[in-house]
Amino acid sequence: MVLILVLFLIPKETYKKIFGKSGTDDINNQVYSDKVLVYMCDEFDNLVAVNASVEALEEDIISQKFDILTMQTGSFKNNYNTCINTMTKIIDYNIENDILVLNLTNEFLESEGRKTLEQLVWTYCNDEIKEVQIKVEDEKINLLNGFYFDKLNTNMGINFVHIRINRKNRI
């Protein structure tokens, strides 16, 4: 009984040192309390709506979603991939007249193309945002990896039926 009591009184960091546990175990087993809806590629390479688990919802949800899309933060129950070059960063963004304008770094041009754009559109379009425009280093683009586009909104979709079904579960 005394042994059990002593084990409970040992500080967590000391316990890790004694028993060889590393800090990365906490990261992998971390309990997340909030969820953010994004669109990712599943094992069949279809875009699907998934809830990414996050420590907390941030005030800047646009940046938080982008970090999840580029796999910098968040976690998923299953294995999902992104179409966006993971080195891409948001320089800045603004929302004007229900259009989200994302100004991204040059690495974005190395992303997959149409599916990348759909991933962004379906992640960001909602009741307040009806369209997404993309800039790279302050230059508006209309071509990504061989795919020409004019307007980016939810009327586009390569697996439109699959996305439409999952969109009903949107938070």
Side-chain angles (χ1 to χ4, degrees):
M1 180 105 159
V2 173
L3 180 62
I4 293 172
L5 184 59
V6 170
L7 286 176
F8 281 113
L9 295 176
I10 296 175
K12 191 181 253 183
E13 294 304 314
T14 306
Y15 176 83
K16 288 178 188 177
K17 288 178 185 175
I18 293 171
F19 295 104
K21 299 259 184 185
S22 69
T24 58
D25 291 340
D26 283 346
I27 294 169
N28 294 334
N29 296 323
Q30 188 169 7
V31 176
Y32 294 107
S33 59
D34 289 308
K35 305 231 182 267
V36 176
L37 184 77
V38 295
Y39 285 78
M40 302 294 282
C41 290
D42 66 7
E43 67 273 12
F44 304 108
D45 209 27
N46 291 318
L47 285 178
V48 294
V50 292
N51 282 310
S53 298
V54 294
E55 290 181 39
L57 295 177
E58 296 176 8
E59 192 172 314
D60 184 357
I61 193 69
I62 302 294
S63 293
Q64 185 175 28
K65 283 185 175 187
F66 197 82
D67 287 346
I68 294 167
L69 291 176
T70 55
M71 307 187 87
Q72 304 300 313
T73 61
S75 69
F76 302 99
K77 287 184 179 177
N78 297 322
N79 202 15
Y80 294 101
N81 292 312
T82 185
C83 302
I84 302 168
N85 180 319
T86 58
M87 299 302 292
T88 305
K89 304 284 183 237
I90 291 181
I91 297 170
D92 58 35
Y93 69 88
N94 65 17
I95 301 172
E96 190 174 302
N97 298 326
D98 70 9
I99 298 173
L100 170 63
V101 180
L102 291 171
N103 186 19
L104 307 173
T105 58
N106 218 24
E107 292 85 1
F108 182 74
L109 295 174
E110 299 169 15
S111 299
E112 287 188 31
R114 181 177 179 152
K115 199 177 297 184
T116 297
L117 298 169
E118 291 174 1
Q119 187 176 14
L120 290 171
V121 165
W122 284 92
T123 294
Y124 286 115
C125 286
N126 55 36
D127 293 336
E128 292 83 34
I129 298 171
K130 303 295 182 207
E131 186 178 321
V132 177
Q133 289 182 358
I134 307 292
K135 290 183 177 180
V136 173
E137 307 282 340
D138 293 318
E139 295 286 326
K140 185 177 176 184
I141 64 168
N142 60 0
L143 182 69
L144 181 63
N145 207 354
F147 179 72
Y148 173 80
F149 59 93
D150 185 28
K151 287 191 172 196
L152 298 173
N153 56 41
T154 56
N155 291 329
M156 65 183 302
I158 55 175
N159 53 328
F160 190 69
V161 173
H162 192 69
I163 290 175
R164 191 58 93 175
I165 291 168
N166 283 310
R167 190 161 170 84
K168 291 178 186 175
N169 297 326
R170 188 169 215 152
I171 294 175

